Amino acid sequence: MIIGVGIDVAEIDRFDDALRRTPGLADRLFVARELTLPSGERRGIASLAARFAAKEALAKALGAPGGLRWTDAEVLTESSGQPRLSVRGTVAARAEELGVRAWHVSLSHDAGVASAVVIAEG
């Protein structure tokens, strides 16, 4: 059963400007693993913008309650390249309240826009 669906888009240049303008913002939005590629290189801005969109979409799929912490949701990448969500803390508590048992996430970025869709399944 689908409990919630969320979608979000982020303008990549605008997201980049926000990160440059606000020191420490990346550390408030992402956990360390999200900021780097498996090779250890810094993840590109388009990829980070898509991950930010996924966190926004996840909040929408949960009904956009207040009090969710950005770092309580993590966008991981499987060896196949497929994104996967890992939740803990505030996000896991809300998901449990709603009966979420599985997440489905899709990320994309093209033409200056990053997007994400999140489905919460019960």
Side-chain angles (χ1 to χ4, degrees):
M1 174 175 74
I2 294 176
I3 292 173
V5 176
I7 185 169
D8 196 70
V9 297
E11 186 180 337
I12 295 168
D13 286 343
R14 186 172 172 214
F15 185 73
D16 188 30
D17 289 344
L19 291 179
R20 291 175 192 276
R21 196 174 51 247
T22 310
L25 179 59
D27 293 328
R28 290 195 306 267
L29 296 176
F30 304 106
V31 299
R33 285 190 297 190
E34 291 176 299
L35 296 172
T36 57
L37 295 167
S39 66
E41 293 177 69
R42 179 122 175 128
R43 189 174 295 280
I45 191 64
S47 180
L48 287 177
R51 279 159 171 70
F52 175 72
K55 292 178 184 218
E56 288 276 0
L58 179 142
K60 292 174 183 176
L62 293 175
L68 298 180
R69 295 188 61 217
W70 293 107
T71 54
D72 283 348
E74 182 177 358
V75 182
L76 303 168
T77 305
E78 298 289 344
S79 59
S80 65
Q82 181 178 358
R84 177 175 62 87
L85 287 171
S86 174
V87 300
R88 60 188 153 272
T90 59
V91 177
R94 176 63 176 168
E96 185 176 336
E97 281 177 31
L98 296 174
V100 176
R101 291 191 319 240
W103 298 101
H104 306 276
V105 60
S106 181
L107 309 176
S108 186
H109 45 81
D110 189 27
V113 177
S115 62
V117 174
V118 171
I119 298 171
E121 182 182 355

